[in-house]
Amino acid sequence: MRRRDSSILYLALGVYSLMINWYYNHSLLYLLLSYIFWPLYLLYELLTGGLSHGMWKTIPLSYFK
C-alpha cells in the first residue's frame, strides 16, 4: 500500500460515499462533487449523524434488494 489511490480500502470507501450521496440526494451534480471530494463528504456525513442509527449498513443494503 505505497500509494493510497491504489488501495482497495480507499476505493471501497470512495464507492461507499457515492452510495450514501445518491441515497440522500439523487442528484448527478452532487454525485460528481462527492466523487471529487469524497473524503470530506464521508467525514461530513459521519459528523452530522447521517450514518447514525444503523444507516451506515441500511444504505448499502438498499442497493442490493
Side-chain angles (χ1 to χ4, degrees):
M1 289 181 35
R2 284 182 260 161
R3 293 179 9 173
R4 73 176 177 171
D5 60 343
S6 63
S7 158
I8 294 174
L9 180 62
Y10 190 80
L11 176 67
L13 287 174
V15 170
Y16 183 66
S17 70
L18 293 177
M19 291 169 74
I20 293 168
N21 188 348
W22 187 255
Y23 184 83
Y24 285 127
N25 298 319
H26 291 287
S27 170
L28 290 176
L29 178 64
Y30 287 146
L31 191 69
L32 178 64
L33 288 174
S34 175
Y35 175 71
I36 295 169
F37 301 110
W38 76 261
L40 296 175
Y41 181 74
L42 193 58
L43 183 64
Y44 168 77
E45 285 295 329
L46 286 170
L47 293 177
T48 59
L51 299 176
S52 60
H53 304 293
M55 288 305 288
W56 64 272
K57 60 182 174 182
T58 303
I59 293 171
L61 289 177
S62 70
Y63 290 102
F64 298 110
K65 287 186 178 180

